[in-house]
Amino acid sequence: MLGRLNHVALAVPDLAAAAAVYRDTLGARVTAPQALPEHGVTVVFVDVGNTRIELLEPLGEASPIAAFLAKNPSGGMHHVCYEVDDIVAAHDRLKASGARVLGDGNPKIGAHGKPVLFLHPKDFFGTLVELEQA
Ligand code: CO
């Protein structure tokens, strides 16, 4: 079921500042900021050749990363995203195994215009897992 690592996401308190560090200090290619109101975040992607780093900043009052940043004010690793071929089949397999799918359980459209699901970190060794249909 599990495919390639699509990205590792870091929550950051200031997206412009974090993007500048990746672009100017680390010399990476960084995409333009993209607001994702349905997910409560603004994102940029950093191209690191074999995968991407997603930098996340809260968007709106009820951002799902607000509590994370309250606990980690300077930012930190927020989730890892793996690719799957079929998000509905992945969802059904996970539910059958007892894993908790976050939200209403239905895939949402993610930053790449593809369906995504998030899985409860307590079921995956303390790491929030995103699945994206490749
Ligand atoms: Co992500």
Side-chain angles (χ1 to χ4, degrees), residues 7 9 54 79 81 118 130:
H7 60 267
E54 178 180 47
H79 65 267
C81 176
F118 285 91
E130 178 180 18

Side-chain angles (χ1 to χ4, degrees), residues 83-101:
E83 296 178 358
V84 295
D85 289 333
D86 181 336
I87 198 105
V88 174
H91 169 272
D92 293 349
R93 177 183 173 139
L94 287 157
K95 291 300 277 186
S97 71
R100 286 167 284 183
V101 176

Side-chain angles (χ1 to χ4, degrees), residues 7-52:
H7 60 267
V8 174
L10 311 181
V12 300
D14 182 337
L15 187 61
V21 166
Y22 269 86
R23 187 181 54 240
D24 303 332
T25 307
L26 296 173
R29 261 192 305 142
V30 180
T31 62
Q34 184 185 359
L36 299 173
E38 198 190 344
H39 295 276
V41 292
T42 303
V43 306
V44 302
F45 283 92
V46 181
D47 181 2
V48 292
N50 62 337
T51 190
R52 284 173 286 196

Side-chain angles (χ1 to χ4, degrees), residues 6 81-84 87 112 114-116 130-134:
N6 185 281
C81 176
Y82 303 114
E83 296 178 358
V84 295
I87 198 105
H112 304 115
K114 311 239 177 95
V116 301
E130 178 180 18
L131 299 179
E132 178 176 301
Q133 186 165 292

